[in-house]
Amino acid sequence: MTNLRYGGYLLIALGLINLRYQTGHHNVLIHSLTIVIPGLILLAATFTKATQKYLANRTTQIVVGIIAALLVVYSFTNK
């Protein structure tokens, strides 16, 4: 659960950094929220008992990791 929690924190931080450093660009809020909202959902899911059992599944962890990695790449490449 700890690694998934760190992933949630990472996405939130990247989204907020993205918001700050791309201030003035077109649709920056939408781009940043595209990163922050999944991070908040993931973070909340790691603290909820109902979703912890689901997130403990290895396949789910791999899928969540891939989605998080894609969002990290998106945070560096969006303009």
Side-chain angles (χ1 to χ4, degrees):
M1 237 13 79
T2 304
N3 290 337
L4 292 174
R5 228 172 251 158
Y6 287 150
Y9 287 128
L10 171 73
L11 292 175
I12 293 168
L14 283 175
L16 293 175
I17 290 168
N18 188 41
L19 180 65
R20 172 63 184 106
Y21 283 103
Q22 291 192 8
T23 302
H25 289 149
H26 186 63
N27 290 332
V28 67
L29 185 61
I30 294 171
H31 293 297
S32 294
L33 288 178
T34 302
I35 303 165
V36 170
I37 290 175
L40 288 172
I41 292 170
L42 178 58
L43 189 60
T46 61
F47 286 107
T48 307
K49 293 286 184 194
T51 57
Q52 283 181 348
K53 184 185 283 186
Y54 182 69
L55 289 174
N57 185 354
R58 182 73 176 151
T59 306
T60 305
Q61 291 177 354
I62 291 171
V63 170
V64 168
I66 290 170
I67 292 169
L70 290 173
L71 286 169
V72 169
V73 169
Y74 174 73
S75 73
F76 286 108
T77 60
N78 67 358
K79 295 180 182 179

